[in-house]
Amino acid sequence: MMRKLLPGGLCALLLSVSLNGTAVARDAPLVLQRDGRTISLEPYAPNVLRVTLSVDRAAVVSSPGYGFEAKPSAQGWAHTRDAAGDDVFRSAKMVVRVASGDLTRDELPKRMPLDALNQQLREKYFGGWNDRGTFNDALRITNAEGKTLLRMRTWTMAPEQPEVAQADAGARGFRVAATFDSPADEHYFGLGQQQKGWMDLRDHEIRCWHDYSALGGENVCVPFMMSSLGYGLVWDNPSKTTIQLGLNDQNVWSSEVGDRVSYFVIAGNSADEIYEGYRLLTGVTHLLPRKAYGYIQSKAIYSTQAQIQAVADEYRRKNLPLGVMVVDFLNMTKQGNLDLDPTRWPDPAAMNRRLHAMGVDTLLSVWPHFSKESLFYDMLASKGWLVHTRDGVPDPGGFKAIIGPNIDTTNPAAAKWFWQEIRDRYIKPYGFDYVWLDETEPDIDPAKDVFWIGSGTRFYNVYPLFHTASVYEGFRRDFGNSRRVMILARAAYLGAQRNGTVFWSSDIFATWDMLKRSIPAGLNFTATGLPYWDTDIAGFFSPIIPADYHEAHRPLIDGSDARDTIGNYEDYPELFVRWFEWGVFQPVMRAHGERNHNEIWSYGKQAEPILAKYLKLRYQLLPYTYSVAYRSYRTGAPYMRALFMDFPDDPKVADIPDEYMYGPAFLVAPVTEQGATRRSVYLPAGCDWYNYWTNQRLHGGQTIEVDAPIDTLPLFVKAGSIVPLGQDDGSAQQAQRIVSVKVYPGADGGFTLFRDDGKSYGYEQGKYSLSELTWDDAAHQLKHQGAPAWSGPDSAVVTVIDGSGL
């Protein structure tokens, strides 16, 4: 069957035909009409294309869902038809071929043949089922060189499941799905947070919806996947989505409810090119306040003003660097009063003034819950500003009445009110710097509830985007460019990275098993296009420790002098040290957890000097970290980077769950086994590597056994790297002096050192300085241009590592 176009008048608006018969796309999509269904190919850039399919034409031509900021652009795209009658849509980066219509019976995929009697018997007992909701509109996307990136075989619009339809009452919806080929050598990464220990997501089923109680730790759904074949796929549907990757050589994306299949494909010759496309679609990752890249001290909970001040004072007395102190939850007189209990917080303004004088900022937890007895409950309920059931009753979920339902910040009026109360009750009068927005799933399951934007079933995953935006947009609206936003949030969605947000791995258990699973969880989260992720260092919940508990191996840290912190969890100080060492190389470094004490001196005299060493290393690396964070702002690419991003030609890196790159220079290999003092490390092929601690030069493409005593995190530097180091005295301001620049020869290299005021959004207007450092390996010479990076001769600062290991 030949392709049927839209009526001629509409086609004239969509396409203009050149003299050679090629149709050149304007700013509208290429829309193809099939029997009772519509297909749209809508470009956003030469390497970014939206594919939309539906039996409802209006759904196809409407805008993408929540989370997207980009506008379509058909510049450089052209439409032709090939000899087979297939529609071909191409740019300099991508070629898309859509089959000319329904495939003939001979062209349809089919099962192996059966004899006639066998078929007759099967038809009698099992026949009669006709899947009227699955369509064979085959689509193939290649890069400009003809390499196949993605092949869609079928797509589906079937009636909603009865229970879904009931929850989605009032809207006609469908279960929507698409099926793609999965070549045997294709690997998958991203899709938010899954804490089951997976790195490569191939051969797994991903339950893409927010689930605080998921096995292994909270699931967070961000439906963006990276493929090793050189594309990213963004699934445009916020309902519960199941993704089966690689099973039976297929990838199946299926969402509970929708009125179309809608997804974006981003092609790229490198991972960073794909992230640039994701940035274009969903927004930038703003720089955090510079202090947030230092060290954030927290525990559940510092319950009084005096405790907060005493901890900060002790860090200063010990000459240990500290950037941010956290005031955790349960700080109100009543949940939802949006105040601080004056019996425990007699003068928060004075506390913050004193902390600021010490160079320490504060992060305040503000929950979204409002209990019935609280100051604002009646007003919020009367306005419909609380998440509620279909009959309008606020839904407290399974919580006690003393906690109450969530505010519905998908409602613009409720979101504005929520921010204004935070501003006028905490920020302006007391001087708190940053806001912790906990419970942002929301933690009340919205499946049977109603948001302002629609049913909780249809919009299951979008709440964290709206909730974090309520505070970010309020900050920008009321403070302009003067103060930078940092929001700590427990869940995410497409585009939430543009809200100045740090996401964390939720309330995980303090176990060795959780440490091991947290690394690939973080790598896939940042691979999703959200660079800022961290953990509660050494876990949040304590496991239940039996009275006769014995560790697997003799602990490498003696915690006998820390009983009031660890109880009988004998190997916990060792776990804390290993996790803390890893924390230095997380995008944000933050200690937290349900423990009596949680400061670096709380785990015994053997642990403290090791923890102090790594805390100071975090600050030494601050010029490097801040500069690679600026690179994330410019490109959208993460700086906690799974190995597939930087070594796509090395097949051995696809499924390594416990190694990664931290920026362009460092390969980090945390120790995750209790009692271990050595571990295997694979050094990716294509370059040489240096052991950071010994300076020994090693060839890539090999697995080595490396010593890892308790005070040593296996850490390697890629040849050609330039690493600037600053003071370790806790300075997180622009004035941090560069005290050393280490050059690791073996390849040409470059590094852009970024500096600004660290507090404002002036960098968006060009108020910053760049120092371009370049290593010429053949000449064995470091060159620099742009803003001066240090004073005095290079010889006083620059060290070229000789690689001898001596």
Side-chain angles (χ1 to χ4, degrees), residues 599-777:
E599 303 75 39
I600 70 168
W601 53 84
S602 303
Y603 295 97
K605 293 180 179 178
Q606 287 188 7
E608 183 176 346
I610 303 171
L611 298 172
K613 165 188 168 180
Y614 281 89
L615 180 56
K616 291 181 177 181
L617 177 61
R618 177 74 181 190
Y619 280 81
Q620 290 171 343
L621 289 170
L622 197 55
Y624 173 87
T625 297
Y626 195 53
S627 296
V628 297
Y630 173 72
R631 180 182 176 187
S632 290
Y633 160 70
R634 292 299 301 270
T635 67
Y639 60 95
M640 182 180 182
R641 302 170 62 84
L643 294 179
F644 79 90
M645 298 180 194
D646 294 308
F647 307 98
D649 297 326
D650 187 342
K652 294 183 179 180
V653 306
D655 200 21
I656 297 178
D658 59 352
E659 297 179 29
Y660 64 95
M661 295 297 292
Y662 185 74
F666 290 100
L667 187 149
V668 185
V671 176
T672 61
E673 299 291 341
Q674 194 272 312
T677 57
R678 291 175 63 81
R679 69 152 288 177
S680 296
V681 176
Y682 178 71
L683 301 176
C687 60
D688 280 358
W689 297 89
Y690 291 79
N691 184 314
Y692 180 78
W693 306 109
T694 68
N695 292 330
Q696 180 187 9
R697 184 169 172 174
L698 301 156
H699 295 306
Q702 64 171 325
T703 298
I704 63 171
E705 288 292 318
V706 59
D707 289 334
I710 187 61
D711 65 346
T712 301
L713 168 73
L715 186 64
F716 297 84
V717 186
K718 184 181 177 183
S721 296
I722 303 169
V723 179
L725 300 172
Q727 300 160 280
D728 65 2
D729 60 0
S731 173
Q733 304 303 320
Q734 163 67 13
Q736 187 183 23
R737 183 169 59 91
I738 301 297
V739 298
S740 176
V741 175
K742 292 185 177 182
V743 179
Y744 295 83
D748 292 340
F751 189 82
T752 300
L753 181 66
F754 170 82
R755 286 175 291 183
D756 71 344
D757 63 20
K759 299 178 180 179
S760 75
Y761 288 98
Y763 65 88
E764 294 181 330
Q765 289 79 45
K767 297 178 181 178
Y768 57 83
S769 68
L770 298 178
S771 304
E772 299 289 347
L773 310 179
T774 305
W775 172 250
D776 184 333
D777 200 53

Side-chain angles (χ1 to χ4, degrees), residues 521-540:
L523 294 177
N524 272 309
F525 187 91
T526 59
T528 306
L530 291 83
Y532 293 120
W533 176 94
D534 77 342
T535 60
D536 296 341
I537 286 178
F540 181 78

Side-chain angles (χ1 to χ4, degrees), residues 8-298:
L10 180 57
C11 283
L13 293 175
L14 299 178
L15 303 171
S16 64
V17 181
S18 71
L19 293 177
N20 65 3
T22 299
V24 180
R26 292 178 176 174
D27 287 337
L30 171 63
V31 179
L32 307 173
Q33 197 71 28
R34 300 291 192 255
D35 289 335
R37 59 195 187 275
T38 306
I39 302 170
S40 170
L41 305 179
E42 186 173 38
Y44 280 67
N47 69 325
V48 181
L49 180 77
R50 181 186 177 209
V51 178
T52 315
L53 314 98
S54 182
V55 297
D56 179 356
R57 183 191 170 280
V60 169
V61 299
S62 61
S63 300
Y66 292 109
F68 300 96
E69 288 193 330
K71 302 297 183 185
S73 173
Q75 183 176 359
W77 284 82
H79 168 239
T80 59
R81 201 186 305 168
D82 65 15
D86 293 347
D87 290 282
V88 181
F89 201 36
R90 71 173 64 240
S91 71
K93 295 284 188 178
M94 301 172 70
V95 180
V96 188
R97 287 179 170 82
V98 184
S100 59
D102 277 331
L103 301 176
T104 68
R105 185 176 183 87
D106 290 338
E107 293 173 315
L108 286 171
K110 55 180 68 71
R111 301 181 188 277
M112 292 183 289
L114 292 172
D115 64 83
L117 179 57
N118 197 323
Q119 188 65 52
Q120 181 182 352
L121 291 170
R122 289 170 180 271
E123 185 69 22
K124 176 180 178 180
Y125 287 96
F126 304 109
W129 295 340
N130 185 9
D131 186 358
R132 300 179 183 273
T134 296
F135 306 104
N136 298 296
D137 295 305
L139 177 149
R140 179 184 176 215
I141 299 177
T142 68
N143 65 11
E145 291 74 36
K147 173 188 173 184
T148 297
L149 302 179
L150 186 69
R151 186 191 293 267
M152 186 188 77
R153 296 288 184 176
T154 62
W155 60 281
T156 300
M157 287 188 69
E160 295 172 301
Q161 296 295 325
E163 63 275 14
V164 174
Q166 182 180 7
D168 194 37
R172 178 173 178 258
F174 299 85
R175 176 178 56 84
V176 297
T179 300
F180 305 89
D181 287 358
S182 178
D185 60 346
E186 188 174 14
H187 307 280
Y188 309 104
F189 310 93
L191 293 175
Q193 180 173 272
Q194 304 280 321
Q195 304 200 66
K196 299 173 180 64
W198 306 332
M199 186 63 248
D200 183 0
L201 300 179
R202 186 180 182 87
D203 298 329
H204 293 293
E205 179 179 86
I206 309 302
R207 295 160 55 105
C208 198
W209 59 86
H210 307 321
D211 183 359
Y212 175 80
S213 301
L215 181 67
E218 180 172 14
N219 285 355
V220 173
C221 178
V222 185
F224 170 45
M225 182 192 78
M226 289 279 286
S227 164
S228 62
L229 293 185
Y231 71 89
L233 191 150
V234 185
W235 186 255
D236 176 22
N237 188 305
S239 72
K240 283 187 174 182
T241 298
T242 302
I243 307 152
Q244 297 171 340
L245 297 174
L247 301 170
N248 298 315
D249 302 319
Q250 293 181 332
N251 295 337
V252 180
W253 296 65
S254 177
S255 293
E256 276 193 347
V257 59
D259 53 8
R260 64 193 178 192
V261 169
S262 176
Y263 58 90
F264 291 82
V265 179
I266 309 168
N269 292 323
S270 68
D272 285 9
E273 186 177 359
I274 296 171
Y275 288 117
E276 287 175 359
Y278 181 76
R279 180 185 189 272
L280 169 72
L281 288 176
T282 65
V284 305
T285 300
H286 295 287
L287 280 168
L288 303 175
R290 200 169 192 271
K291 286 185 181 178
Y293 297 97
Y295 178 61
I296 302 174
Q297 176 64 60
S298 180

Side-chain angles (χ1 to χ4, degrees), residues 300-315:
I301 57 177
Y302 294 122
S303 56
T304 69
Q305 176 178 328
Q307 288 178 355
I308 291 280
Q309 190 61 66
V311 170
D313 287 346
E314 188 67 5
Y315 271 95

